[in-house]
Amino acid sequence: MVKKKSDVYSVEIYGTKDLEKTETGDKDEKYKDLKGNKKKKKTEDLKKELDLDDHQLSPSDLEEKYGTNISKGLSSARAAEILARDGPNALTPPKSTPEIVKFLKQMVGGFSILLWIGAVCSWVSFGIQFAQGAESPFDNLYLGVVLALVVILTGIFAYYQEAKSTNIMASFSKMIPQQALVIRDAEKKELPADKLVVGDIVEIKGGDRIPADIRLISAQGCKVDNSSLTGESEPQSRSCDFTHENPLETKNIAFYSTTCVEGTATGIVINTGDRTIIGRIASLASRVGNEKTPIAIEIEHFVYLVAGVAVSIGVLFFIISISLRYKILDSIIFLIGIIVANVPEGLLATVTVSLSLTAKRMAKKNCLVKNLEAVETLGSTSIICSDKTGTLTQNRMTVAHLWFDNQIYSADTSEDQITQPFDQSSPSWTALSKIVTLCNRAEFAPGQENHPIMKRVVVGDASETALLKFAEVILGDVMNIRARNKKVAEIPFNSTNKFQLSIHETEDPNDKRFLLVMKGAPERILERCSTIMINGKEEPLDSEKAEAFQTAYMELGGMGERVLGFCHLYLPENEFPDTYPFDTDSMNFPTSNLCFVGLLSMIDPPRSTVPDAVSKCRSAGIKVIMVTGDHPITAKAIAKSVGIISATSETVEDIAKRLNIPVEQVNRREASAAVVNGMELKDMSLQQLDEILCNHSEIVFARTSPQQKLIIVEGCQRQGAVVAVTGDGVNDSPALKKADIGIAMGIAGSDAAKNAADMVLLDDNFASIVTGVEEGRLIFDNLKKTIAYTLTKNIAELCPFLIYIIASVPLPIGTITILFIDLGTDIIPSVALAYEKAESDIMNRRPRNKRKDRLVNEQLAVYSYLHIGIMQSIGAFVTYFTVYAEQGFLPSTLLGVRVKWEDNNINDFEDSYGQEWTKYQRLYLQWTGYTAFFVSITIQQVADLIIRKTRRNSIFQQGLFRNKVIWVGIFSQIGIALILTYGLGHVTALNFTPLRFQYWFVAVPFAILIWVYDEVRKLFIRRYPGSWWDKNMYY
Amino acid sequence: FDSSFCLFSLAVKILLFYVIFYGCLAGIFIGTIQVMLLTVSEFEPKYQDRVAPPGLTQVPQVQKTEISFTAADPKSYDPYVKNLEKFLKDYSADQQTESIIFQDCGEIPADYKERGPYSESQGQKKVCRFKREWLENCSGINDPTFGYRDGKPCILVKLNRIIGFKPKPLANGSLPEEVMAKYNPYLIPVHCTAKREEDADKIGTVDYYGMGGYPGFALQYYPYYGKLLQPRYLQPLVAVQFTNLTYDMEVRVECKAYGQNIQYSDKDRFQGRFD
C-alpha cells in the first residue's frame, strides 16, 4: 500500500520509478495520514491511467480508437453523445456540505446543546407545573422559548457569517468560461472548453490554456508551461513525436490546465474533466484530510472548559438542592439558572464577528480569507514554506547586471523603474544597446502606449521581454529604432546553436554597411569573437581579456542570474553590397571573428517589499523556508537577496569553500543555512529531513517538485510547527490542504490551488502574508481579551443562584435578565475589544506554542472567575442588599426567607419594620432587585471592559481613547441598560422595573476597585517578570 | 527535594494570597453593607413605593386562600379555627392591660392619632386598644369555632400594615350604595361581594362586625409607627360572617376596602382587596 501511495505522488512528475526506492523501507510514516482504504481504488485508477498508450499510437490508430477524423473532427451528434456519456469537461468542485447540514451543525455546536438542555428543562418544569395547576407556570414556558430562540438566532447568525465568507470565495472562483478551437463537422468552431469530448480535434496556440489532455498530432514550435502540473517554470517543448514510455514525460501529450506558451499545435482530446491527470490529482487532494484550525481547537477547548464548569456546578448544586430538600422541580429550575448563567450565550457570535472583522481588514490588505478561522491560524504560524516565483519575486525576468568595458554595472530591478541610473556615456554601451534592441524578436502587444513600460504585455519569451523592456526604458521607442534599422535576415534562437542572430541595415544613410548582431550563451558567443570592444574601440581578445570575461561571467552566474553575451560585426560594404542575398540556411555571412561587446544578466528579481517582510518574519520568530522548482544557485541568490538566507550565514558548501576542505568534513551544525536540492531530498530518510529542518534556521529547497513540498510540510508539522504554505499549481493542492494554512496565489494560482487553500493572496505578494500574520496574532490576543471580558460576569450571574440556593434569599437576578446581559449589553463591548491595538510589538515575539499558549488558559479562567468575577458579584450584591434594605428588608431579614417569600398565598409578609407585603409587591421588589443587580453588573462590566484593553501594560500606556470603538461599546452598554430599565421597565415579562437613579452608582466604587486592582496586577507583572505573580496572574 | 519545596512554597504563597484577597473582599463587603445600614433608619424604611398602597388580607389562611370545610366534621375546620384563635390572641382583653403601652381610642371611629416623629426620642409609642368583643359572633368568645360548626364561617379582614400610612376615607357621596348604610367619615369601609355575577345569589347574607359596629377600619389606628416603636400594635379588624352561604359550591368572594388612597391593581389581586 505504501508503494501504491507513492505512485500517486511520484507519478506527477517522475513517473513511478523514481520515488519508489525512497518510498519503500522506512517511509511508512510519510503518507500516514494520506492513507485510507478509500484511496486505494483511486490509486489504482490512476495507475490504470498510466497504462495509457495513446502517446505510442500512430495518428491513424488514434482516429480509430476514438472514432474520429483528424481533418474533419467528430460530428456534432457524436460529440453530443459522448458528452452525455462522459459529462462536461470540467473538474468537479469538491463536494460541499449541504446547507441544511451546515445550518444544523450551528444549531447543536458549542454551547447550543447546553442551552437546548436548559430549554427542555424549562418546558418539562412548565409541563409539571401546568399539570399541577400552579398559578403562574408560564414563566418557564417563556424561558424555554427564549432559550430556544437564543440558540436558533445565534445559530442563524453564525451560519449567515459563514455563508457570507464562503460567498466571497464562490464569486472569486467563478472564472470566465474558457473557449477552445475545435474541429467538428469538418469546421473550425469556438466552443466553451467544458463542451469538449474525447476524440475532439482541438487547435491550440501560444497563450491558450490547454483545454483537456491532448495527444498532439502536429505541432509548430509549440512550448507548454507545465508549472501548474509539475512546478517547473521552464517552458517545455512539445512535438508530435513519441519520446518517452511514460505518458507524463513524452513530448506528444499536453495536459489539461497547463498553458501553451508559444507556437501552435493540433491534437486529439484523449481525456476530459476529472479523468485528466490534473483532475485525478485535484480529486485526490480533496481527500487529504483538512486539519482543524488552531483557533477551532482553542474554541473547542474553551467550550469544553466552560461547559464543564457549567455542568459540574449545575449538577453539584442540583445534588445540594435536593439534599437541602428542595423539590425536584425547583432543583431543575436552579439547574437551568446555573446553566444559563454559566454559558456565555453571545460569545461564539462575538468571536465570529471579531474574526470576520479581521478577515475584512485582511481582505483590504489583499489577504482573502476563505475560512474565517484561518484568520488566526496565520497568526500562530511558525514556519512559512514559500514559493519563490511570483511570491517572493516579481515573476518576470528583468535585466539586473551589465558587463561592458571590463566593468559590471547594476541595473534597477524595482517594480516601477522609469530610468536606469548606470553610466551610459560609454560608446560600448551604445553598441551594446543597439544589439539589445535589434537582436530581439519580442514586441509589445499593440494599444498599450499609455501603460507604464513595466506593465505592458509583450509577445515573446521571458528573456527577450526583459531585454525589450530594458531597452525601451533607456532608449525610448524601440519599435521605431528597429524600423529605422531594417532587418534583412534572422536566425532565431535554437538549442543547438544557442545563439540568435540578425542582420540589419544601419540607420545612418551614409553608412551602407550591414550590421550583424548576435546574442546567446556567453561562452558560445565568446568562441565566435576575435575582438572585444573596450570604450568603443575594438581590441584584440587576448587571454587577459578572456580571463576578465570569465570572471564576470562566473560572478553574474554565481548570483543566480541568466547571462547572455552580445556581439556584433559591421559587414564590409564591398563584400556585402546592398543587394547581397543573405541566406540563413547556408549562412553565407561570417559568424565568427566577431566583436564581443558585453554581457547582460537577468533575473526574476525579488519584490521590493519582500526583504522587509522576511526580516519581520524573522523577528516574529517565523522561519521562512523557500521551496522552489528553480535551480539551487538562482534560489540561493534570491534567498540571499530577500534575507531568507541572511548575509552572515553560510551553507555547508560555503564553509567547505572558505576552509578549503571537502564538504563531508564540515560540521553540519556550524552551518545555519542550507540549500537542499530536490534530488538530495528524494534520497533522504525522514530522520535526515527532520535533522535538516531542526538544525538549520535558514533553508532553501531547490529543484523540488510540488509533491516534495508535501513531504516538507509534513516534516515541519512533525516538529510541532504551524505551517503556512504558499502555492499556485494544481500539484500544490495536497500540500496546501495538508498545511495548517494553505495560501493560494490570487493571480497566478490555479482554481484547484485556490480550492484547496484557506486563504488567497490577491496580489501574490509575500509581504501580504506578513500583514496577515500580524492581524492573526492581534486577533488571538484580542479574542483572549474578549473571552476574559465575557467570562468575568458569568460569576456575577452564577453567584446569585448559589447564594439563593444556600442562603435562601429572594432571587437576586432572573434568568431572563441574565440573557439580557449576555446578549444585550455585553455584545458590542466584547466586539469592540477586537479593535484594540496591539500592546507591544506583536511581531517581535515568537509565534505561540500551540500546545502551551492556549486561548483560554488556567490563568485567564482563574483571574476572570475568581478575582474580577468575585469582585463584581460583591459589588452587585451590595446593590441588591441596598435596594432591599431601603425598601424595608434589612439583610438579616432576607436570609432564609425564600419559601415564604415565594409563597403565592402569603400576602401579609412582614418585613424588618413590621410592614406587610403582598406577594405581588414582593415580586415587584424582587424585579427591582434584578434590575439593580443587572445595572451593577453592567456598570462593573464597563470597568471590566477598560481593564481588558491590556493584559500587561497600564491602561494609560495603551491610551484610554485610542480605541474609539471601546467607547461606542461603553455607551451602547449603558444606553441599552437605560432603555431596558426605564424604557421597558413596565413590560412585566422582561422583569425590569424603573430603578432609582442612585442605585446606578452603588457599584461604582467596586468598578473603580476592579480597575485599581487590575492596574496593580499589571504593575506587578511588569515589575517582577517571572515571579509567581507573573506566572499566575498573566493570562 | 528542591523542586517539591519550591512547589510547596508556591502553594503556600498562593494560598496566602487567596486568604488575604478574599479576606479583604469579605471585609470590604461587610464594611460597605454596614455603611449602607448606617444610612438606613431603624424606625422607618427609606422608601415605601413598593409596599404601598396596602394589601388587604384575610385570616384564617391555611396553605391557600381558599376555605372549605364540612360543618359536621370539626377536623375539617380545625386548622381555620386554630389560625383565627392564634391571630386573635393578641386582641384578647387580658393582653391589652398594660396602660403604658395601650390606650383607649374610643368606641367609634375617629380621626388619625399622630404620635410624633418616627424616632426613639420620645420612647415607644402607645397603641390603640382593639376590643375583641367588637367582633361579636366572630370574636370566638362565645363561639370558639367562629361559626364554622354552624356553617356560618367567619373571616377576619385586615389592611396590611404600612408605616406612616394614613388611609383616606372616600367622601360621603362617592361610596358605593351598599356600604353607605353605615357611613362614618373616619372609617375605611370594607365590603364583600361575589366575585362572579352568577355567585351573587349564592353568597347569601353577609354580616360585618368591627369597631363600634362599623364595617371598616377606624382611622384612629393609623398611622402605624413600626415594629420598634409599636411592637404590640393592633391593626383594626373587620370580621365578615357568611350566614347564609350556599353549600357544596365554590363561591368566590371579593372583599374590598374603600379609601382614596387604597387602589386596586389587576396584577396584584391583594392590593386593597382580595378574593
Side-chain angles (χ1 to χ4, degrees):
Chain A
M1 183 151 166
V2 174
K3 204 175 128 197
K4 268 173 200 150
K5 186 46 64 189
S6 67
D7 289 348
V8 175
Y9 286 93
S10 54
V11 132
E12 295 160 22
I13 297 184
Y14 302 104
T16 31
K17 284 172 248 158
D18 301 35
L19 270 186
E20 219 159 347
K21 61 171 183 272
T22 56
E23 294 308 313
T24 46
D26 61 346
K27 291 298 162 64
D28 222 85
E29 262 190 343
K30 193 173 274 182
Y31 291 113
K32 208 170 170 184
D33 34 9
L34 296 175
K35 276 188 223 160
N37 292 331
K38 266 192 211 161
K39 275 172 226 139
K40 204 166 173 180
K41 193 176 147 265
K42 199 81 200 170
T43 317
E44 266 156 17
D45 280 358
L46 195 65
K47 242 194 146 180
K48 213 191 286 165
E49 191 64 38
L50 292 171
D51 296 337
L52 175 103
D53 56 356
D54 289 343
H55 53 301
Q56 301 174 14
L57 299 177
S58 70
S60 52
D61 288 341
L62 284 167
E63 274 187 315
E64 195 186 323
K65 179 174 175 186
Y66 293 109
T68 185
N69 181 304
I70 288 175
S71 51
K72 288 186 186 160
L74 292 169
S75 68
S76 295
R78 173 79 186 132
E81 240 172 70
I82 303 174
L83 186 66
R85 187 191 70 197
D86 291 350
N89 173 35
L91 299 183
T92 327
K95 229 183 241 167
S96 55
T97 336
E99 295 299 301
I100 184 75
V101 173
K102 277 190 202 163
F103 184 66
L104 288 179
K105 255 189 188 163
Q106 299 289 2
M107 290 289 161
V108 294
F111 295 116
S112 305
I113 284 285
L114 277 185
L115 292 180
W116 280 122
I117 293 173
V120 169
C121 285
S122 306
W123 287 325
V124 167
S125 54
F126 163 71
I128 297 171
Q129 280 175 331
F130 193 73
Q132 287 174 348
E135 298 218 357
S136 57
F138 286 98
D139 284 0
N140 282 317
L141 179 68
Y142 295 149
L143 182 60
V145 171
V146 168
L147 287 178
L149 269 181
V150 166
V151 180
I152 292 169
L153 286 180
T154 48
I156 288 175
F157 176 77
Y159 171 77
Y160 168 75
Q161 278 293 343
E162 204 181 286
K164 216 167 70 177
S165 65
T166 324
N167 280 344
I168 298 174
M169 228 20 240
S171 66
F172 187 80
S173 60
K174 251 178 221 158
M175 300 267 294
I176 310 139
Q178 200 197 335
Q179 297 287 318
L181 193 60
V182 188
I183 300 174
R184 274 194 196 165
D185 306 326
E187 268 175 66
K188 280 191 192 178
K189 286 180 187 169
E190 282 268 318
L191 280 182
D194 60 348
K195 295 278 183 291
L196 283 187
V197 295
V198 167
D200 264 331
I201 308 298
V202 292
E203 286 188 8
I204 48 172
K205 58 177 193 306
D208 284 355
R209 219 169 74 138
I210 313 280
D213 282 358
I214 291 169
R215 158 72 159 86
L216 302 182
I217 41 183
S218 72
Q220 293 82 38
C222 178
K223 273 189 180 175
V224 290
D225 174 5
N226 269 359
S227 59
S228 74
L229 185 65
T230 63
E232 278 173 66
S233 52
E234 283 292 303
Q236 296 168 346
S237 65
R238 281 290 177 264
S239 65
C240 41
D241 308 321
F242 161 58
T243 56
H244 201 285
E245 289 270 321
N246 187 333
L248 289 144
E249 293 281 297
T250 182
K251 290 207 163 178
N252 58 1
I253 292 184
F255 296 104
Y256 179 46
S257 95
T258 60
T259 345
C260 176
V261 187
E262 55 183 71
T264 57
T266 311
I268 301 179
V269 173
I270 52 173
N271 273 315
T272 57
D274 288 334
R275 286 165 305 279
T276 58
I277 296 292
I278 234 83
R280 293 183 172 270
I281 292 161
S283 63
L284 193 81
S286 70
R287 285 157 194 264
V288 174
N290 224 342
E291 304 274 302
K292 245 187 202 159
T293 60
I295 194 74
I297 295 169
E298 290 305 323
I299 287 175
E300 207 168 79
H301 171 244
F302 156 72
V303 168
Y304 283 148
L305 199 98
V306 173
V309 171
V311 170
S312 43
I313 295 184
V315 170
L316 181 70
F317 275 84
F318 186 74
I319 294 167
I320 289 179
S321 51
I322 286 189
S323 55
L324 287 177
R325 299 176 183 232
Y326 282 98
K327 279 184 254 161
I328 300 270
L329 194 64
D330 286 343
S331 305
I332 292 177
I333 294 170
F334 300 157
L335 186 65
I336 302 167
I338 288 171
I339 290 177
V340 171
N342 250 311
V343 172
E345 287 83 7
L347 188 60
L348 294 187
T350 312
V351 170
T352 316
V353 172
S354 303
L355 286 176
S356 60
L357 282 173
T358 307
K360 250 186 213 157
R361 218 155 29 192
M362 283 165 82
K364 261 187 213 153
K365 294 176 181 168
N366 289 322
C367 298
L368 194 61
V369 178
K370 249 170 79 178
N371 174 357
L372 271 190
E373 288 162 353
V375 169
E376 193 279 326
T377 314
L378 203 52
S380 45
T381 297
S382 52
I383 295 183
I384 301 176
C385 292
S386 175
D387 260 354
K388 180 180 81 70
T389 313
T391 315
L392 296 171
T393 66
Q394 300 170 18
N395 197 17
R396 61 156 179 249
M397 277 295 176
T398 307
V399 174
H401 292 95
L402 305 90
W403 180 79
F404 54 85
D405 295 348
N406 260 335
Q407 203 177 336
I408 292 179
Y409 298 89
S410 353
D412 178 11
T413 55
S414 64
E415 282 92 337
D416 45 356
Q417 39 188 288
I418 308 161
T419 52
Q420 287 289 355
F422 66 90
D423 178 22
Q424 292 156 11
S425 57
S426 162
S428 307
W429 161 246
T430 318
L432 182 58
S433 66
K434 194 159 251 175
I435 311 172
V436 169
T437 316
L438 298 179
C439 187
N440 192 331
R441 285 156 49 101
E443 284 175 24
F444 288 111
Q448 310 185 77
E449 285 71 21
N450 300 325
H451 296 268
I453 296 168
M454 284 297 142
K455 296 223 164 73
R456 290 190 202 163
V457 178
V458 174
V459 185
D461 77 14
S463 320
E464 298 226 304
T465 304
L467 294 172
L468 173 65
K469 286 185 175 171
F470 182 68
E472 181 87 7
V473 166
I474 300 175
L475 303 174
D477 198 344
V478 168
M479 302 318 285
N480 190 20
I481 298 174
R482 285 194 200 160
R484 281 186 271 134
N485 297 275
K486 227 181 116 212
K487 193 190 290 176
V488 290
E490 179 176 47
I491 303 175
F493 183 87
N494 72 48
S495 45
T496 27
N497 289 344
K498 297 219 175 198
F499 68 78
Q500 180 184 355
L501 174 153
S502 57
I503 300 169
H504 299 260
E505 295 170 359
T506 60
E507 56 187 318
D508 182 356
N510 303 324
D511 189 351
K512 292 291 177 202
R513 291 177 300 171
F514 286 103
L515 174 63
L516 183 151
V517 287
M518 186 193 262
K519 75 162 188 243
E523 65 278 9
R524 294 295 181 89
I525 297 294
L526 195 72
E527 279 168 18
R528 294 170 186 275
C529 293
S530 56
T531 59
I532 183 163
M533 184 178 278
I534 306 286
N535 296 325
K537 289 189 200 82
E538 284 188 30
E539 293 181 11
L541 189 64
D542 50 27
S543 61
E544 189 192 327
K545 296 210 171 69
E547 185 75 11
F549 159 86
Q550 276 302 337
T551 321
Y553 181 27
M554 290 310 289
E555 189 175 343
L556 296 177
M559 288 192 274
E561 296 176 3
R562 185 186 293 172
V563 190
L564 289 177
F566 295 82
C567 62
H568 71 189
L569 182 69
Y570 282 96
L571 302 178
E573 203 176 341
N574 45 1
E575 275 180 61
F576 300 95
D578 266 2
T579 51
Y580 185 83
F582 289 103
D583 183 0
T584 53
D585 291 327
S586 60
M587 297 227 216
N588 55 353
F589 45 85
T591 56
S592 58
N593 291 330
L594 310 176
C595 170
F596 191 85
V597 180
L599 293 170
L600 243 73
S601 67
M602 283 160 293
I603 197 160
D604 178 11
R607 289 167 180 269
S608 49
T609 46
V610 169
D612 192 36
V614 170
S615 79
K616 263 191 189 164
C617 280
R618 181 147 303 160
S619 60
I622 302 169
K623 199 160 157 179
V624 183
I625 295 179
M626 183 198 276
V627 183
T628 175
D630 257 338
H631 199 273
I633 294 175
T634 319
K636 192 176 162 192
I638 293 292
K640 282 211 151 167
S641 67
V642 299
I644 288 178
I645 295 180
S646 48
T648 51
S649 53
E650 290 175 309
T651 62
V652 173
E653 291 77 15
D654 289 337
I655 295 175
K657 208 171 151 195
R658 178 165 55 85
L659 301 176
N660 217 353
I661 51 173
V663 172
E664 293 74 36
Q665 288 177 17
V666 177
N667 180 1
R668 295 198 160 262
R669 282 166 202 278
E670 270 176 32
S672 57
V675 178
V676 183
N677 196 314
M679 296 300 164
E680 297 170 39
L681 185 60
K682 238 186 336 173
D683 299 332
M684 259 177 215
S685 71
L686 285 188
Q687 284 79 3
Q688 280 171 310
L689 176 63
D690 287 356
E691 225 165 82
I692 286 180
L693 291 172
C694 259
N695 293 341
H696 302 284
S697 57
E698 301 169 346
I699 310 173
V700 171
F701 289 98
R703 280 248 176 266
T704 46
S705 60
Q707 46 286 335
Q708 282 179 324
K709 217 180 215 181
L710 184 69
I711 299 168
I712 296 166
V713 169
E714 283 171 335
C716 295
Q717 282 174 336
R718 270 198 305 276
Q719 322 276 314
V722 175
V723 186
V725 170
T726 68
D728 44 20
V730 175
N731 252 14
D732 289 338
S733 42
L736 288 174
K737 270 246 148 143
K738 182 72 202 150
D740 296 284
I741 176 164
I743 304 169
M745 298 299 131
I747 302 167
S750 60
D751 284 0
K754 284 178 198 163
N755 269 330
D758 305 296
M759 216 175 86
V760 178
L761 279 192
L762 293 180
D763 59 356
D764 290 13
N765 190 345
F766 183 80
S768 309
I769 301 179
V770 180
T771 47
V773 169
E774 202 167 347
E775 291 291 347
R777 288 188 174 189
L778 185 59
I779 196 64
F780 186 80
D781 282 6
N782 285 348
L783 280 183
K784 254 188 178 188
K785 294 172 185 173
T786 302
I787 290 175
Y789 169 77
T790 315
L791 284 188
T792 306
K793 56 148 197 304
N794 277 7
I795 285 296
E797 290 166 356
L798 180 67
C799 280
F801 278 94
L802 307 189
I803 302 285
Y804 168 67
I805 294 170
I806 293 170
S808 286
V809 295
L811 187 60
I813 191 166
T815 318
I816 304 251
T817 322
I818 289 176
L819 288 175
F820 272 107
I821 298 177
D822 288 359
L823 296 170
T825 57
D826 257 11
I827 291 287
I828 299 175
S830 46
V831 171
L833 282 170
Y835 287 94
E836 200 54 47
K837 298 272 178 305
E839 270 174 72
S840 52
D841 194 355
I842 40 176
M843 293 306 277
N844 269 337
R845 62 174 195 231
R846 301 196 55 74
R848 74 184 179 91
N849 180 332
K850 64 178 173 182
R851 294 202 191 87
K852 275 197 230 141
D853 306 332
R854 312 305 307 249
L855 181 64
V856 178
N857 51 21
E858 195 191 319
Q859 288 91 333
L860 186 149
V862 167
Y863 185 66
S864 299
Y865 277 152
L866 297 185
H867 294 219
I868 304 296
I870 296 284
M871 286 161 103
Q872 275 194 354
S873 314
I874 288 176
F877 265 106
V878 167
T879 317
Y880 162 83
F881 280 124
T882 308
V883 167
Y884 276 83
E886 296 195 337
Q887 289 286 355
F889 290 93
L890 299 181
S892 49
T893 323
L894 284 177
L895 301 178
V897 296
R898 189 190 69 90
V899 176
K900 281 192 170 172
W901 178 278
E902 288 177 356
D903 191 334
N904 279 321
N905 295 312
I906 298 181
N907 283 293
D908 48 0
F909 188 87
E910 208 174 294
D911 67 13
S912 313
Y913 294 90
Q915 305 187 102
E916 291 171 320
W917 295 67
T918 65
K919 163 71 186 175
Y920 187 80
Q921 286 165 344
R922 295 194 306 269
L923 190 62
Y924 200 67
L925 177 59
Q926 191 176 327
W927 291 346
T928 311
Y930 290 180
T931 314
F933 213 94
F934 163 81
V935 164
S936 304
I937 292 180
T938 309
I939 294 292
Q940 293 177 92
Q941 278 293 81
V942 171
D944 192 23
L945 181 64
I946 290 171
I947 65 166
R948 300 301 184 183
K949 277 164 69 77
T950 58
R951 294 186 295 146
R952 179 184 288 275
N953 287 355
S954 163
I955 292 302
F956 302 104
Q957 281 169 288
Q958 181 82 351
L960 254 180
F961 301 98
R962 249 179 48 197
N963 181 355
K964 304 277 184 308
V965 189
I966 287 280
W967 288 95
V968 174
I970 291 176
F971 286 124
S972 77
Q973 198 167 17
I974 293 171
I976 292 173
L978 283 171
I979 291 170
L980 285 175
T981 35
Y982 298 111
L984 302 174
H986 299 286
V987 184
T988 321
L990 301 182
N991 301 353
F992 281 100
T993 67
L995 194 68
R996 279 202 166 72
F997 203 62
Q998 69 259 33
Y999 293 136
W1000 285 72
F1001 300 97
V1002 178
V1004 168
F1006 290 89
I1008 294 169
L1009 181 70
I1010 287 173
W1011 188 349
V1012 171
Y1013 177 68
D1014 194 62
E1015 279 296 319
V1016 170
R1017 175 188 75 94
K1018 290 169 187 164
L1019 180 72
F1020 282 157
I1021 287 174
R1022 292 193 305 270
R1023 198 52 78 72
Y1024 306 108
S1027 64
W1028 67 275
W1029 181 276
D1030 183 16
K1031 279 181 200 143
N1032 288 286
M1033 303 293 257
Y1034 181 67
Y1035 54 89
Chain B
F1 171 75
D2 225 30
S3 69
S4 68
F5 177 75
C6 266
L7 258 162
F8 178 72
S9 80
L10 183 67
V12 169
K13 257 185 204 164
I14 288 173
L15 190 73
L16 204 67
F17 168 78
Y18 277 103
V19 168
I20 295 170
F21 180 64
Y22 286 134
C24 287
L25 287 186
I28 289 170
F29 178 67
I30 293 167
T32 355
I33 294 284
Q34 288 304 329
V35 169
M36 181 269 292
L37 288 180
L38 287 181
T39 68
V40 174
S41 152
E42 274 178 272
F43 303 103
E44 60 174 337
K46 199 162 181 181
Y47 302 113
Q48 293 177 306
D49 55 324
R50 296 294 188 255
V51 70
L56 192 69
T57 44
Q58 70 183 53
V59 183
Q61 204 184 86
V62 181
Q63 302 292 335
K64 291 177 177 178
T65 47
E66 204 174 278
I67 296 170
S68 67
F69 64 96
T70 317
D73 177 11
K75 265 196 189 149
S76 68
Y77 55 78
D78 191 45
Y80 304 116
V81 172
K82 278 198 174 134
N83 192 251
L84 280 167
E85 191 52 52
K86 192 180 154 208
F87 181 80
L88 282 177
K89 215 178 136 197
D90 287 341
Y91 286 81
S92 308
D94 56 338
Q95 294 289 321
Q96 304 182 24
T97 49
E98 294 139 278
S99 56
I100 304 169
I101 299 170
F102 294 98
Q103 175 189 20
D104 270 326
C105 298
E107 293 285 325
I108 51 160
D111 207 352
Y112 308 115
K113 270 208 166 9
E114 298 281 358
R115 296 168 203 275
Y118 292 85
S119 72
E120 228 168 358
S121 56
Q122 294 162 7
Q124 290 205 339
K125 311 285 182 189
K126 288 203 170 183
V127 172
C128 280
R129 288 202 171 90
F130 189 93
K131 289 182 183 157
R132 191 166 169 177
E133 293 76 40
W134 288 337
L135 303 177
E136 296 177 36
N137 290 347
C138 291
S139 67
I141 299 170
N142 300 322
D143 176 4
T145 66
F146 301 90
Y148 281 82
R149 65 176 172 201
D150 305 323
K152 296 174 179 171
C154 277
I155 59 165
L156 297 175
V157 178
K158 63 188 174 71
L159 197 61
N160 277 354
R161 289 192 297 262
I162 290 172
I163 292 176
F165 179 72
K166 290 189 271 189
K168 286 200 190 102
L170 285 169
N172 199 351
S174 53
L175 278 168
E177 248 177 78
E178 53 270 28
V179 291
M180 282 298 293
K182 279 206 161 182
Y183 175 75
N184 181 307
Y186 301 114
L187 189 74
I188 300 294
V190 168
H191 188 74
C192 297
T193 51
K195 173 89 172 167
R196 293 175 297 202
E197 294 277 320
E198 62 267 33
D199 287 348
D201 47 337
K202 294 176 196 149
I203 195 166
T205 338
V206 184
D207 286 340
Y208 301 92
Y209 313 108
M211 184 189 203
Y214 287 98
F217 309 115
L219 296 188
Q220 62 260 53
Y221 290 91
Y222 300 97
Y224 171 52
Y225 273 76
K227 208 154 109 180
L228 276 181
L229 297 176
Q230 290 184 323
R232 299 185 61 183
Y233 173 74
L234 297 171
Q235 61 203 111
L237 303 173
V238 172
V240 180
Q241 187 169 31
F242 300 94
T243 49
N244 194 10
L245 267 177
T246 314
Y247 300 143
D248 303 327
M249 290 285 275
E250 192 191 279
V251 182
R252 287 187 72 183
V253 180
E254 181 188 57
C255 295
K256 269 183 166 176
Y258 297 89
Q260 277 181 40
N261 51 1
I262 295 175
Q263 285 126 27
Y264 319 108
S265 151
D266 289 336
K267 289 176 190 164
D268 187 356
R269 290 190 297 113
F270 290 90
Q271 188 179 311
R273 61 170 175 186
F274 67 83
D275 55 89

